[in-house]
Amino acid sequence: TAIFPIIIGDDLKVREICKRLHEMDIYVNPVMYPAVPKRLSRVRMSLMSAHTREHLDKALNALERVGKQYAVI
């Protein structure tokens, strides 16, 4: 699938992570209760064939940095 959920489980962290990723030019969507069960809130990424290796590397590096910042990895 082209949609990758990154389950965080905390609505506040999901909001903050999405905000921080947007500031880094990584577009993701927050998905929280009631769209998903409580404690299963997540960041949703969508990938397309138009994304280059450089796009993917940038996104992965940003996810790693933000994940460490918010203690989710």
Side-chain angles (χ1 to χ4, degrees):
T1 179
I3 299 172
F4 293 90
I6 303 167
I7 298 175
I8 305 297
D10 179 301
D11 288 354
L12 181 59
K13 281 187 181 182
V14 167
R15 283 190 202 107
E16 292 297 320
I17 288 168
C18 286
K19 179 182 178 206
R20 183 72 181 109
L21 289 169
H22 289 169
E23 290 169 354
M24 300 168 83
D25 295 325
I26 306 295
Y27 185 74
V28 294
N29 295 311
V31 182
M32 299 172 286
Y33 179 83
V36 294
K38 290 183 180 181
R39 294 182 300 280
L40 288 178
S41 57
R42 61 197 69 191
V43 173
R44 188 178 78 178
M45 295 186 73
S46 299
L47 300 178
M48 300 182 302
S49 61
H51 286 118
T52 65
R53 177 68 180 207
E54 291 77 22
H55 292 136
L56 299 176
D57 287 342
K58 178 181 176 181
L60 289 173
N61 288 332
L63 286 166
E64 181 178 20
R65 263 195 334 237
V66 172
K68 286 179 181 177
Q69 180 182 352
Y70 288 93
V72 295
I73 63 167

